[in-house]
Every structure is written in structure tokens, then in C-alpha cells.
Amino acid sequence: MSDQPSLTGQPTASPISSASSTMSAPDVTGPREVGVDTSVEPSTRRRVVAASFIGNFVEWFDYAAYGYLAATISTVFFPDTDRTTALLATFVVFAVSFFVRPIGGFVWGHIGDKVGRRNALSLSIVIMSVATFCIALLPTYRAVGLLAPLLLLIVRIVQGFSASGEYAGASAFLVEYAPPGRRGLYASVVPASTASGLLLGSLLAALLSGILSDGQMHSWGWRLPFLLAAPMGLIGRYIRLRLEDTPAFRALEEQQEVTPTPAKQMLRANRRPLVLAMGATVLNAVAFYMLLSYMPTYLSEELHFGATESFLTTTVSLAAYIACIFFTGLASDRFGRKKMLITASLLFTVCTVPAFMLLDGAGLLTVIVIQVLLGGMLSLNDGTLPSFLAELFPTRVRYSGFAISFNMANAMFGGTAAFVATLLISWTGSSLSPAWYLAVAALVSLWAVLSSKETSREPLRES
């Protein structure tokens, strides 16, 4: 892939447009998809890609900044205790913000399926940007005592609520705008934008750690990444408001078939897809946050790498992940969603523990190679998952089904990944315990995918 999305949130058109124009789509689309307008202008699709990219980028840049600056945040917002306790407290706040995400999944799913995908996405990015900006203004523990971590918790809860509508909504938006035979490629923009937000967060954290002293980082340096949320959020909202809703949703509106109670309809008629979607998401939830957010803390706290080296290795891993993600989307269109997801689950089941064993005592170059390989493995799962989940549910409840299943899995396993990893190491005394946890998560997702049917060769369902 010659061109990657820029870190400013503006993706180049090449990953989507060039693939659509220079590669012939495999004849696997079957009958024409209900509600899908195949005459959508390429310029409209490019704006859809840009809007989906930048919104998700903003959402996850914040999560990256929080995760990568966890060691600093633990000393700024919590009382002076032993280092492990402070880190656990920081990750608890990170995890609690995920516990509201299932609630947010119901709320945003209801808005997206009843009022429209565009309206839900435009509102969610505003709430996230405001909440993220507020983190930069929060007082420290030394200034206000226990009020500091309480305020941090409140803001993180607001962020978790808004983020619960972003990934699902952007995926549904792209899948419903995608041309036949290209749903996997278009939906892969979502994890690519997520990783790009993490990449910028990693680069910025590494830069700040490298040029600022410890005193400057603890005084004001940690606030800088969160200040960027406001302008980026305004840009994302502006782009989204210039778009029409998806052809599939507009077709439902024209036929007056928009359901007034999408969550109730989804739970009544789509319980099996909901359970399978949750199971399929477990690997993404654990691996994504463990490998791309928690890993710098693991390398510095458990393997005693320097902060700059830890950020560098994760940055390289993120770059490899982004480079692979569009190829994974294309491959899932050609070979099917199940084959890609099963391959990813098997690789994580077999390779995770040996990879973590090699990390212990390894030099910087070896650590980078291992993280690049892990990032490539993760891209096999994450580049396929958005289209797989979106295709499991009909248009009437697609946003609700995706948002509820994805956020419930992330609340239980994603937001707690860093906390569980730190706790397991503390309990067992083994730095390999996070690897065993990740391998078990891969087995859960393997079961769910094996129990599902192939969706890439079927048209999107309306009901």
C-alpha cells in the first residue's frame, strides 16, 4: 500500500479509490443489495471515508494519550503510594469509562437506527471532543486532593459514553455506502483510523517524553495531547454534517420501515447474532488494548525498557498494523470473513505465549520485530471484524446490534485488559500471564466465528 492515512485525520483516497478502480471485484456479491445505491458518486464515497476516518481518529487519539501517559497520569491524579497501586488506580479509571459503553451502545444504536447514522455520528464526536478537552483543564491531586481523580473519572465516563457510538456507527456507515464486493475494504478504514489515532498519540507521547524533563511532563506536558481534541473534533463534525445518510437507511425512510424501537427489535429477533458478535469481538477487545495501548507500560514496568524505547516499539507495531489493515479488508472480500478471522484466532492461540517469552530479555530490535509480527496478526482480525459484525445484522437494527455487542465485549474485556494484565502479573509474579489471558480470548473468538455463517457473499439484509 503506497499511501497511508495521514496522522491529521485526512486519509488519502488511494487505499479505497485505487482498489476500486484498478482491481476487479470478485464475482461473489450475489443479488443486488437491498437499499444500496450503486450509482453513488465516487466523490461522495471519498467524503464518507474522510468523515468516518477523522471521527474515529479523534476518538482513539484520546484513548492513546491516556494509555501511553498512564505512568505520568498516575502520579498527577492519585496520592503518593507504591507504583503498582497508582498504576492500577489509573487503569481502573480507564476501565470504568468502558462500563458505561453498553449503555451508550443502546442509546447510540437507538439514535442511529431511528434518526439516522449521520446524526448519531455528528453528535458523538462533539461530546467526545469536549470531554477530552476538559481533561487538559483538570486540577491535580496536589491542588484539590481526591476531587482530582473524581473529576477525571467523570470525564472518562462521558468519553466512554460517546465512544460507544463511534466504531459501530462508522462501520455501518461505510458498509452501507460501499460498492458491491468492497464492504470489507471500506470497513477496514475504521480500524485504520483507530490505529492512526493511537499512532499519533504514541508519537506525541514519545516526543514529549524525549524533549521535556520529568518535572515539565508532570507539571504541564501531559496536558498538551488533550488540548488537540477540540479543533480536530470541530473538523470532524463539519465534514460529517455535509454528508447525506446512507442509501440503505434512506431507503428504509422512504419505505416508512424505520423501526421505532430498534433495540427491542434487535433483542427479540437477533439474539443469536448478538451472542456470536460478542464472542467474535473478544479477541479484538483484549488484543487491541493489550498490544497497542498497554504494551508501552508492560515494556517499561515489567521488562525495564526506557520510556522512549517503549513508545518507539509500539509506534513501529502500529505502523505495521496500519500498513496491513487495508490488505486484510481486501482479502476478506475475496476469501471471506470467516477464513480471515479463524486464521487470526489460531495464530494468537498458538503464538502469543512464545512471543511474550521471547520479549523477556530481548534487545530492542528483537522486541520491535516481535511487535510488528503481533501487529500483523492483529490486523488479520481487526481488518475483517467491522464488516463481519455489520453484516450479521439487518439494516433496521444494524447500528444497535453492532454497538451493543461490540461495546459489551469491550466493556468486559477491552477496558479491563490493562488492569487484568497488571493484576495477573502482581498475583502470579509471572510476566507471561497477560499472554495466557490473550490466548484464551482468542479461543473464545474462534468458537464464535466457527459458529457463524459466511456473510461476505450475501447482500445486506433489510429485515
Side-chain angles (χ1 to χ4, degrees):
M1 190 68 62
S2 59
D3 297 316
Q4 297 300 334
S6 70
L7 295 181
T8 60
Q10 296 291 346
T12 59
S14 60
I16 302 298
S17 59
S18 63
S20 297
S21 60
T22 62
M23 297 182 62
S24 59
D27 187 18
V28 296
T29 56
R32 186 178 182 274
E33 297 173 5
V34 176
V36 174
D37 184 359
T38 56
S39 65
V40 174
E41 292 292 329
S43 59
T44 299
R45 287 200 173 104
R46 285 194 292 270
R47 290 199 304 273
V48 167
V49 170
S52 301
F53 187 99
I54 191 171
N56 222 36
F57 177 90
V58 172
E59 300 265 6
W60 297 99
F61 169 75
D62 158 65
Y63 277 84
Y66 189 93
Y68 295 142
L69 295 175
T72 301
I73 290 174
S74 67
T75 62
V76 171
F77 285 97
F78 295 95
D80 294 330
T81 57
D82 67 273
R83 192 170 183 82
T84 299
T85 302
L87 271 176
L88 284 173
T90 304
F91 289 136
V92 164
V93 172
F94 185 86
V96 168
S97 69
F98 278 75
F99 295 157
V100 300
R101 289 180 61 165
I103 299 173
F106 278 94
V107 173
W108 292 114
H110 179 85
I111 296 173
D113 283 329
K114 184 177 181 180
V115 183
R117 284 76 162 114
R118 188 197 71 159
N119 292 328
L121 290 169
S122 299
L123 180 58
S124 70
I125 194 172
V126 171
I127 296 175
M128 170 59 89
S129 299
V130 172
T132 303
F133 183 77
C134 286
I135 289 183
L137 309 179
L138 292 180
T140 66
Y141 179 82
R142 286 188 177 182
V144 296
L146 291 176
L147 182 61
L150 178 61
L151 291 173
L152 177 64
L153 178 62
I154 292 172
V155 174
R156 292 294 298 177
I157 288 174
V158 174
Q159 287 178 317
F161 176 80
S162 71
S164 60
E166 182 61 38
Y167 198 99
S171 298
F173 204 72
L174 285 164
V175 163
E176 292 176 359
Y177 255 114
R182 284 291 180 264
R183 296 197 301 255
L185 175 62
Y186 270 66
S188 67
V189 168
V190 177
S193 62
T194 297
S196 295
L198 290 171
L199 180 58
L200 181 59
S202 175
L203 289 171
L204 188 54
L207 177 64
L208 293 174
S209 298
I211 65 175
L212 298 179
S213 66
D214 288 344
Q216 290 172 323
M217 278 294 294
H218 287 77
S219 176
W220 53 269
W222 66 270
R223 300 181 187 271
L224 296 180
F226 303 107
L227 290 173
L228 296 176
M232 290 194 297
L234 290 175
I235 294 171
R237 177 174 170 79
Y238 172 76
I239 295 175
R240 286 179 171 180
L241 286 177
R242 295 181 63 201
L243 294 171
E244 284 189 303
D245 221 313
T246 68
F249 183 78
R250 282 184 278 128
L252 284 183
E253 288 186 314
E254 291 170 3
Q255 297 161 12
Q256 297 183 339
E257 293 185 358
V258 176
T259 178
T261 55
K264 180 179 179 180
Q265 177 73 18
M266 189 272 301
L267 292 172
R268 182 172 60 190
N270 295 273
R271 286 189 293 270
R272 177 177 169 80
L274 180 66
V275 172
L276 295 178
M278 287 179 59
T281 305
V282 170
L283 175 58
N284 162 270
V286 177
F288 187 89
Y289 290 101
M290 188 174 291
L291 298 181
L292 301 182
S293 181
Y294 167 71
M295 189 58 75
T297 303
Y298 177 83
L299 291 175
S300 60
E301 296 296 320
E302 305 302 331
L303 303 185
H304 310 296
F305 279 83
T308 301
E309 292 174 322
S310 300
F311 287 133
L312 173 63
T313 60
T314 302
T315 298
V316 175
S317 177
L318 279 165
Y321 175 91
I322 296 170
C324 295
I325 209 81
F326 293 111
F327 291 110
T328 299
L330 273 172
S332 74
D333 284 327
R334 177 172 290 276
F335 302 112
R337 317 291 185 229
K338 288 187 65 172
K339 288 182 181 179
M340 303 301 293
L341 294 173
I342 289 171
T343 301
S345 296
L346 290 174
L347 285 173
F348 272 104
T349 301
V350 174
C351 299
T352 303
V353 174
F356 272 66
M357 291 175 67
L358 290 173
L359 284 175
D360 193 4
L364 179 62
L365 181 59
T366 302
V367 172
I368 290 175
V369 171
I370 293 171
Q371 286 205 251
V372 167
L373 292 176
L374 290 172
M377 287 164 50
L378 182 59
S379 72
L380 294 177
N381 180 85
D382 291 6
T384 307
L385 189 65
S387 54
F388 174 80
L389 295 180
E391 290 165 353
L392 281 178
F393 300 97
T395 301
R396 286 183 177 183
V397 297
R398 180 165 296 120
Y399 203 137
S400 295
F402 195 135
I404 292 170
S405 60
F406 186 81
N407 286 294
M408 288 185 71
N410 273 275
M412 291 186 288
F413 302 104
T416 61
F419 177 81
V420 170
T422 304
L423 192 61
L424 286 174
I425 293 172
S426 177
W427 281 352
T428 65
S430 171
S431 59
L432 289 180
S433 50
W436 288 108
Y437 181 56
L438 180 51
V440 171
L443 286 174
V444 173
S445 289
L446 178 61
W447 162 81
V449 175
L450 287 173
S451 302
S452 305
K453 66 177 183 178
E454 180 58 58
T455 56
S456 64
R457 292 170 175 79
E458 298 182 3
L460 292 177
R461 293 183 296 140
E462 185 178 68
S463 62

